[in-house]
């Protein structure tokens, strides 16, 4: 495992901060917030610019620590001694697991967002040195603390927007799993980060792959980004049979182990729709340069095509701990817990275009990415509500994309929404889905 001493002796400052800026400026067409850089030796400079002390473990706030991404984040932190120190763990209501995590890693703070759940925490349940804060406002305040270096944004759904916003407002570096932030309010969040000096390093495996591939070229050399998709559990199922899919079937993903919401999104391929919108804003590329390719092995996590026809891909076994670790250690690469390929064994990689008839959600993603404005927020909210309806047995699997398409089409589109507009249309879209399901 990597030791801190390694880092202290090997991070040399060979390239000045000015060089980094020069590089960034020449790549203006891609957003500087998400722009990877090629000079590894400038790592300490980049850290210094972000207000991080390269000689100390990075102090990490894990938002959504009890979820799938949150628990994998704590695995990474535990597997990389000396590199990261958990400052804050936050969850909604899963206090049992949260307290277990607090006892194992001794953060300075735990935050329980739901006050009713927090009220059940008994006196003496917290380990010594850990304090409890309650509610979303407390979380916003703590995320902005000068004692936080990096924020892992892993709250699920639209609920993750506000704390991610708070982190960017304070100029933090955000390891972003909560794609909904960019789907709902991409241009606003990117502008905010540019203004405050905040940075976004993606955790979504596809966007992490793209971020890594982009380090090999300049923005004007990029011709296309190809997001890979596993195709989910129904990749080979007939269109007719999809009508009868049950929540139990849809919750079984063939290659990834994830939270329930994103697992359903993978089954409908709405996850890829959301990821197209996420990529559009994160990398500042027009929707026409974004494509989707089904790749059932989930080994190639995405690809970038450059002007000369070269395609650069990132490959690794399907394990979210790698993109989480990359986002935490960026711009450095460190040893970690992820399993390696066994190249003495053969490997087969398949690719096929998605079927628009069976998976209409992908088209909705392209459409919303191209339209911008309020389209992403409306699609996201309609989908969250439709997934909830499906899991509760109120609507069928195939209804999810259908109702999303209808709400997207009928919504009062705004090209330059404010955050308030986004929130208002999020609420509107949810109501429309409920009305549709009740008819
Ligand atoms: P999950 O359901 O497993 O966990 C969600 C976490 O968010 C929990 O800790 C929960 O307590 C917390 N939470 C829920 N509602 C909250 C609220 N209102 N306030 C505060 N905390 C709240 O979800 P997940 O699968 O870990 O996904 C988290 C995010 O990461 C999602 O945006 C998802 O799209 C994204 N993501 C996940 C994966 C994956 O492999 N799981 C991959 C890529 C991106
Ligand atoms: Mg993904």
């Amino acid at each position: 495992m990597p030791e801190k001493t390694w880092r202290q002796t090997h991070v040399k400052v060979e390239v000045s901060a000015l060089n980094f800026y020069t590089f960034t400026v020449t790549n203006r067409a891609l957003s500087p917030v998400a722009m990877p850089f090629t000079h590894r030796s400038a790592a300490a400079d980049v850290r210094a610019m972000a207000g991080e002390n390269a000689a100390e473990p990075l102090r990490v706030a894990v938002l959504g620590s009890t979820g799938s991404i949150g628990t994998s984040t704590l695995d990474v932190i535990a597997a990389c001694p000396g590199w990261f120190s958990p400052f804050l763990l936050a969850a909604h209501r899963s206090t049992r697991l949260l307290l277990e995590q607090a006892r194992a890693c001794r953060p300075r703070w735990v935050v329980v967002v739901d006050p009713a759940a927090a009220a059940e925490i008994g006196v003496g349940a917290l380990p010594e040195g850990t304090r409890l804060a309650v509610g979303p406002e407390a979380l916003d305040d703590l995320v902005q603390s000068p004692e936080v270096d990096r924020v892992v944004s892993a709250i699920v759904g639209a609920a993750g927007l506000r704390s991610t916003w708070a982190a960017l407002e304070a100029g933090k570096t955000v390891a972003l799993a909560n794609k909904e932030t960019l789907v709902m309010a991409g241009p606003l969040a990117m502008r905010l980060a540019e203004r405050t000096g905040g940075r976004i390093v993606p955790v979504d495996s596809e966007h992490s792959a793209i971020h890594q591939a982009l380090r090999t070229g300049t923005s004007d050399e990029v011709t296309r980004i190809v997001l890979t998709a596993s195709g989910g559990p129904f990749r080979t199922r007939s269109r007719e049979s999809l009508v009868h899919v049950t929540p139990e079937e849809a919750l079984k993903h063939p290659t990834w182990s994830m939270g329930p919401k994103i697992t359903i999104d993978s089954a409908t391929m709405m996850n890829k729709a959301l990821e197209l919108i996420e990529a559009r804003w994160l990398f500042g590329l027009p929707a026409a340069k974004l494509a989707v390719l089904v790749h059932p092995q989930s080994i190639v996590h995405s690809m970038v095509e450059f002007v000369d026809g070269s395609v650069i891909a990132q490959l690794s076994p399907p394990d979210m701990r790698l993109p989480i670790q990359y986002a935490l250690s960026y711009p450095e690469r460190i040893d970690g817990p992820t399993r390696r390929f066994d190249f003495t064994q053969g490997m087969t990689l398949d690719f096929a275009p998605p079927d628009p008839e069976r998976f209409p959600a992908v088209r909705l993603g392209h459409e919303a990415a191209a339209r911008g404005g309020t389209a992403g927020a409306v699609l996201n909210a309609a989908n969250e509500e439709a997934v909830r309806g499906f899991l509760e047995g109120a609507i069928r699997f195939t209804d999810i994309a259908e109702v999303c398409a209808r709400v997207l089409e009928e919504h009062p589109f705004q090209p330059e929404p404010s955050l308030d507009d986004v929130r208002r249309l999020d609420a509107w879209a949810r109501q429309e889905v409920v009305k549709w399901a009740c008819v």
Side-chain angles (χ1 to χ4, degrees), residues 179 204-206 271-272 275:
K179 63 191 84 185
D204 221 341
S205 54
E206 296 78 2
N271 185 45
K272 221 40 61 179
E275 290 180 354

Side-chain angles (χ1 to χ4, degrees), residues 248-300:
E248 291 70 34
E249 287 175 287
L251 284 168
K252 282 193 201 117
H253 197 279
T255 48
W256 293 101
S257 157
M258 307 178 286
K261 158 70 172 46
I262 186 173
T263 305
I264 301 297
D265 288 348
S266 298
T268 56
M269 290 195 74
M270 188 63 84
N271 185 45
K272 221 40 61 179
L274 302 180
E275 290 180 354
L276 281 166
I277 307 168
E278 180 185 10
R280 157 95 188 78
W281 304 121
L282 184 61
F283 300 113
L285 287 166
K289 286 191 173 183
L290 306 174
V292 171
L293 200 53
V294 174
H295 166 51
Q297 290 87 6
S298 300
I299 297 280
V300 174

Side-chain angles (χ1 to χ4, degrees), residues 64-70 90-94 113 139 153-157 159 177-180 203-205 256-260 262 271 275 320:
S65 70
T66 56
S68 168
I69 293 290
H92 191 212
R93 10 179 121 97
S94 36
V113 171
L139 181 56
S153 163
I155 289 174
V156 64
N178 181 266
K179 63 191 84 185
E180 294 85 352
V203 165
D204 221 341
S205 54
W256 293 101
S257 157
M258 307 178 286
I262 186 173
N271 185 45
E275 290 180 354
M320 284 308 294

